[in-house]
Amino acid sequence: MKKAKIYVLATGGTIAGTAESSLDTAYSAGKLGLEELLDTVPEIKQLADITGEQVCSIGSQDMDEHIWLRLAERVNTLLKNDDCDGILITHGTDTMEETAYFLNLTIHSDKPVVLVGAMISSSAISADGPANLYNAIVAISDPESRGRGVMCCMNTKLIDAKDVIKRHTTDLATFEGDGCIGYVYGDKAYYNRKVTYTHTTLSEFDMTGVTELPKVGIVYGYAGCSPLPFESFVNANYDGIVIAGVGDGNIHKKIFPLAIDAVKKGIIVVRSSRCSTGPTCLNGEIDDEKYHFVASQNLNPQKARILLMLALTKTHDWRQIQHYFMEY
Ligand code: SIN
């Protein structure tokens, strides 16, 4: 079979991290350069022709919108080329779900784009990076992987960008999503289901020429909640605020009137939940129609923030934005 031509965009993370000794839990993320990282798995050269570039060398806690915009621009350009069959992005696991979701809505190609990372640094015993990298290259090389949107490949699983969530601070099986869409076994990718929401080729979000995204902050809900973070975002003229509410997106009484006022000032307020799973339902426990709040549906706060930033590049109409939350 003809080898796939795969381009790697390296961003850092634990997969490229090194420690003083093979037993250390403390390590520095993003230390291995692209070539050194690829050399940890010489077997991938049998699967695909691989080239690439270093986009940045960071721990993904430092990922930001500017790097996302650069990645989106680069991936869209590369995938237009017949010489590129798919893209691998090496990335820290901490914010991988956010980058994956952003790219899923801003890349307009059905060629495979897979993010890969590791929970254990490259110099540690039982580093998981090499197997994850190998599996990601298998997935991208497999024609069955086309048209499935951006995916993350971790611990043999292929998880779609909307479902993928880092659920555990240290476990290798941290990324489970709401059930993976597939897995890699040996040199083949196997898929269980297709995703049903809109992404990539059908997404209406076009980042061509965009250099700044609208400002959207997240306010975390908890017993005895302080209004200060919400007030700070309003005073800083943020365009949108996502409330990581409790339960089904419920809002503390000290925040609720501030949220109503913010909407009156033209700020879009999205209700999401600090619960790790489950939807925040439109007109569920709060009358969103009455207050013109947007319900995040199946998006957690960090992904709701991304969709809201993208939505605000097109409209400030809360009904249209709610429609996006139903669709994407
Ligand atoms: C990071 O996200 O860059 C550090 C943690 C990891 O990659 O697992």
Side-chain angles (χ1 to χ4, degrees):
M1 201 172 68
K2 203 167 127 276
K3 278 190 193 174
K5 292 192 171 65
I6 297 177
Y7 201 86
V8 183
L9 297 171
T11 71
T14 297
I15 191 166
T18 54
E20 293 277 305
S21 97
S22 60
L23 294 176
D24 277 353
T25 51
Y27 63 92
S28 305
K31 286 288 162 199
L32 294 187
L34 174 64
E35 291 308 322
E36 289 170 297
L37 180 60
L38 297 179
D39 284 348
T40 61
V41 203
E43 295 85 351
I44 54 178
K45 295 194 180 116
Q46 291 156 24
L47 293 172
D49 291 331
I50 302 170
T51 49
E53 68 195 49
Q54 193 79 39
V55 175
C56 55
S57 297
I58 58 169
S60 76
Q61 66 272 20
D62 295 328
M63 185 51 66
D64 63 28
E65 296 88 340
H66 296 111
I67 303 176
W68 287 344
L69 288 168
R70 264 167 55 207
L71 283 172
E73 194 272 323
R74 197 73 189 105
V75 175
N76 278 316
T77 303
L78 288 161
L79 291 182
K80 279 188 194 133
N81 192 327
D82 288 343
D83 266 355
C84 182
D85 296 314
I87 303 281
L88 175 71
I89 300 174
T90 61
H91 199 291
T93 60
D94 287 350
T95 60
M96 186 187 284
E97 66 190 81
E98 292 173 62
T99 302
Y101 188 62
F102 179 82
L103 295 177
N104 203 33
L105 301 187
T106 55
I107 288 172
H108 302 284
S109 170
D110 68 354
K111 293 179 184 174
V113 177
V114 175
L115 278 78
V116 71
M119 290 298 287
I120 299 179
S121 75
S122 70
S123 54
I125 51 172
S126 51
D128 54 331
N132 289 343
L133 197 57
Y134 182 85
N135 288 338
I137 295 288
V138 168
I140 299 168
S141 307
D142 196 316
E144 287 290 308
S145 298
R146 283 183 86 120
R148 297 182 185 273
V150 174
M151 296 181 281
C152 297
C153 181
M154 291 286 293
N155 203 30
T156 75
K157 306 280 193 317
L158 293 164
I159 311 161
D160 68 281
K162 184 166 181 178
D163 278 348
V164 66
I165 300 174
K166 185 168 185 177
R167 288 178 197 270
H168 195 285
T169 49
T170 54
D171 195 341
L172 292 194
T174 184
F175 282 171
E176 289 303 324
D178 270 353
C180 57
I181 59 166
Y183 58 96
V184 176
Y185 189 78
D187 59 2
K188 173 121 192 71
Y190 297 86
Y191 289 95
N192 314 318
R193 63 182 167 88
K194 290 200 159 112
V195 297
T196 51
Y197 54 86
T198 306
H199 59 78
T200 56
T201 48
L202 295 179
S203 167
E204 59 205 277
F205 301 112
D206 182 1
M207 293 297 105
T208 312
V210 175
T211 53
E212 287 290 335
L213 289 171
K215 287 190 290 185
V216 176
I218 300 176
V219 170
Y220 200 84
Y222 52 94
C225 199
S226 164
L228 291 177
F230 197 101
E231 285 167 347
S232 302
F233 286 133
V234 172
N235 292 337
N237 294 319
Y238 268 50
D239 305 291
I241 299 174
V242 175
I243 300 176
V246 294
D248 188 5
N250 284 317
I251 304 173
H252 193 278
K253 66 181 178 190
K254 288 187 199 149
I255 307 283
F256 211 113
L258 301 180
I260 293 170
D261 282 353
V263 170
K264 286 186 184 141
K265 288 186 176 129
I267 298 170
I268 299 291
V269 173
V270 173
R271 291 192 306 109
S272 185
S273 176
R274 69 177 195 173
C275 293
S276 61
T277 53
T280 302
C281 303
L282 177 65
N283 301 323
E285 294 179 40
I286 290 181
D287 189 345
D288 294 303
E289 293 279 339
K290 177 172 166 193
Y291 300 112
H292 296 188
F293 295 155
V294 173
S296 74
Q297 298 299 122
N298 288 304
L299 293 181
N300 64 18
Q302 54 272 33
K303 288 186 190 170
R305 174 176 173 267
I306 290 168
L307 182 52
L308 181 53
M309 288 191 293
L310 294 175
L312 284 165
T313 64
K314 294 183 82 72
T315 182
H316 280 69
D317 179 68
W318 69 275
R319 279 187 197 281
Q320 177 58 31
I321 293 175
Q322 183 65 65
H323 172 77
Y324 289 142
F325 275 82
M326 297 299 190
E327 185 173 358
Y328 292 98

